[in-house]
Amino acid sequence: MDSNVQLMLYLLPTLAGLLLILPFGRSLSGPFESIFPSLKSARGRVFSGLILTCVAGMAVSFQTLWITSKLSEGGNFCASNTVLSCDDVLGNIDYNTVPYLEISWGGLGAAVFAILLYLAYSSFKEPNASWVSMNLRLGTLLTFGGFFVIALLIYYEIKMGKICQYCSTAHLANIAAFIGFFRLMKMNETKDWDDIWAQVDK
Amino acid sequence: MKQTYDEEADVRTTIAIRVMALFFVGIMIIAATTSPIATGTKEGERAPALEGKFYNGSQWADFDLESYWDSSWEEGDMSGQWVVVEFMDTDCPYCIQSAEEMGQYADYFGNSNSEWNGALVNFIASATQLDIQGHDTSRSEIISFRNKIADSGDDCGSSDCGSRPGAAHNFPYIDDIDQDNMKKWKVGGTPSYYLIQPDGIIAWSSAEHQGEEVVDAIFALVPSAQSEGA
């Protein structure tokens, strides 16, 4: 399968998750509300979008880790003469590991998205637990920290003159997750949080 | 009184187990489908990039070590090109002493020698400038050392570059005056030698075999008709 077609397996769920997270997510979720009743409320939609985004982010991070491992074997996956060439980015040993930790960026991404998934999914399953607000704050903080990592990785890409489309999908997932955690954190501070049916028409 | 609240039933435990299971499945898939090789300068590791301008006998051009690699190469395949990388300094006495042998080895294991019936071994020198007083070098000095040009005005060590032992060299000399490649390869001193397989994996390093000559490593590791028949 072409590497850019394969990328769609991660990009489409990330975009769908982002659309659900955004305030106008209702227009997207409408047809699915009878199957997934939780999509009727704003809280349910943001949680669903957030979980979808975290799963897609974790999956695309694993894919970049896999590509990095394959490249170290001497193989290639998405080499290209165009500016979109993840092989050139992920195969560059000067930039493909986390400074000081020497672990692949893909490995770090997978671990972080696993933590975000845990924070989002556990809060979704028990939204009225006392620890939910802490989970949402932690999620917001972690994804906000991700912006600095994204800035560093984009700086590397500019230096190399190449863009890794798989990495960019993971970056997009982090941005979407930040919006999701932030919106949920704000919602959690209002009394509407418990009364999800009051949000149905909002 | 019976306690109805069970802390072990906390949804966090269940979710943590599920997410961890998902994470480890991902790790196991990667472990099962890939065999990553670390990049480094120890034997068995993938050689790091060696880039810069090299002198090819007529001009300075872009050099990229990766262009030598063949990822489909398999052990014993005689068609692959091996590479010997020498990290040297044109003012280092040991490098000057070994220049004669290096030239002879490059000629012997190269394409044009019918006596050698083994795989092609390319020789590459990465010329640096060590942080030692009197070790000032330049591209002009690298050319004078390589081509053994007499009375060029360039001194190699404390003598004229044209008086170094051996004949002029035909292999590429990379300009590493800024020590970029040397630092990347974590080279402790000059001369240092690396024998690299056609797939880019370091087969032998002088740092790991003190007292052993690079020529012994070539005879031991590079496939030839003799070793095939033995």
Side-chain angles (χ1 to χ4, degrees):
Chain A
M1 192 192 294
D2 180 75
S3 62
N4 287 323
V5 175
Q6 198 172 327
L7 178 66
M8 293 302 140
L9 294 173
Y10 311 108
L11 186 59
L12 292 178
T14 305
L15 289 174
L18 176 63
L19 289 174
L20 281 172
I21 286 167
L22 293 173
F24 52 84
R26 184 93 200 262
S27 54
L28 179 81
S29 67
F32 305 100
E33 284 177 5
S34 56
I35 309 165
F36 305 106
S38 63
L39 293 177
K40 285 180 181 171
S41 71
R43 190 183 81 189
R45 278 194 299 276
V46 177
F47 264 127
S48 303
L50 184 57
I51 290 166
L52 189 58
T53 300
C54 290
V55 170
M58 192 161 98
V60 78
S61 299
F62 273 126
Q63 178 78 68
T64 59
L65 181 60
W66 184 87
I67 297 168
T68 308
S69 300
K70 275 288 170 196
L71 293 177
S72 79
E73 290 175 31
N76 59 65
F77 179 75
C78 46
S80 162
N81 290 329
T82 66
V83 75
L84 289 175
S85 175
C86 59
D87 277 11
D88 285 312
V89 178
L90 296 172
N92 190 323
I93 60 154
D94 293 333
Y95 303 115
N96 67 1
T97 53
V98 182
Y100 305 111
L101 296 177
E102 298 298 320
I103 59 167
S104 165
W105 286 108
L108 178 75
V112 170
F113 277 111
I115 294 168
L116 296 177
L117 180 61
Y118 163 75
L119 295 173
Y121 194 23
S122 56
S123 304
F124 174 66
K125 294 297 274 184
E126 211 165 299
N128 294 317
S130 57
W131 39 262
V132 165
S133 61
M134 178 58 80
N135 273 15
L136 299 177
R137 280 184 192 148
L138 269 176
T140 308
L141 191 69
L142 262 177
T143 48
F144 182 73
F147 286 121
F148 296 100
V149 176
I150 292 170
L152 177 69
L153 295 178
I154 289 175
Y155 167 70
Y156 287 164
E157 287 179 331
I158 291 168
K159 272 181 88 173
M160 284 181 257
K162 295 281 181 182
I163 291 172
C164 162
Q165 56 272 49
Y166 282 80
C167 314
S168 301
T169 305
H171 300 168
L172 180 67
N174 181 81
I175 294 165
F178 170 75
I179 299 169
F181 274 113
F182 185 76
R183 282 201 72 201
L184 287 169
M185 187 180 74
K186 287 292 168 196
M187 265 188 225
N188 186 243
E189 290 167 1
T190 67
K191 61 181 173 56
D192 284 352
W193 177 263
D194 292 330
D195 188 7
I196 60 165
W197 300 114
Q199 305 171 34
V200 167
D201 295 319
K202 285 189 178 178
Chain B
M1 188 178 158
K2 190 179 175 186
Q3 191 175 354
T4 54
Y5 181 76
D6 182 1
E7 286 193 345
E8 289 181 16
D10 188 332
V11 71
R12 287 178 293 182
T13 315
T14 315
I15 301 301
I17 290 168
R18 284 182 189 170
V19 172
M20 277 196 288
L22 200 60
F23 184 80
F24 286 117
V25 165
I27 293 289
M28 281 191 285
I29 290 171
I30 290 171
T33 56
T34 63
S35 307
I37 300 166
T39 299
T41 52
K42 291 186 183 139
E43 289 171 10
E45 293 183 332
R46 183 168 300 285
L50 193 64
E51 293 167 333
K53 295 283 183 186
F54 80 105
Y55 187 71
N56 60 12
S58 58
Q59 61 177 342
W60 292 91
D62 287 323
F63 181 84
D64 185 4
L65 186 63
E66 281 194 24
S67 62
Y68 285 83
W69 307 148
D70 173 10
S71 58
S72 62
W73 178 82
E74 288 179 7
E75 206 164 321
D77 181 358
M78 295 246 291
S79 64
Q81 296 185 43
W82 291 63
V83 172
V84 168
V85 177
E86 179 198 20
F87 283 90
M88 52 84 67
D89 176 348
T90 51
D91 292 305
C92 136
Y94 293 110
C95 306
I96 296 167
Q97 274 177 30
S98 62
E100 183 172 11
E101 286 176 342
M102 284 298 285
Q104 289 169 350
Y105 298 157
D107 291 341
Y108 185 82
F109 297 108
N111 248 343
S112 52
N113 181 19
S114 56
E115 286 177 45
W116 169 242
N117 50 13
L120 170 66
V121 183
N122 295 294
F123 280 69
I124 294 159
S126 182
T128 191
Q129 176 181 289
L130 295 176
D131 300 323
I132 301 171
Q133 200 172 8
H135 282 234
D136 296 325
T137 194
S138 63
R139 282 192 174 181
S140 160
E141 188 171 308
I142 293 170
I143 295 172
S144 299
F145 185 95
R146 178 191 184 273
N147 294 350
K148 207 182 171 190
I149 302 169
D151 302 324
S152 61
D154 295 311
D155 282 341
C156 296
S158 50
S159 310
D160 179 54
C161 291
S163 66
R164 71 155 175 81
H169 291 163
N170 293 316
F171 51 88
Y173 268 65
I174 304 165
D175 168 2
D176 190 33
I177 297 171
D178 58 7
Q179 297 187 356
D180 263 8
N181 289 325
M182 196 177 154
K183 284 174 185 163
K184 199 181 280 179
W185 283 60
K186 295 179 180 139
V187 174
T190 58
S192 286
Y193 304 96
Y194 296 89
L195 176 61
I196 309 171
Q197 293 174 183
D199 58 358
I201 305 296
I202 292 178
W204 180 91
S205 148
S206 60
E208 291 181 56
H209 296 272
Q210 298 290 338
E212 200 176 308
E213 296 289 324
V214 66
V215 66
D216 299 328
I218 294 172
F219 279 122
L221 299 169
V222 176
S224 65
Q226 284 104 322
S227 61
E228 291 288 305

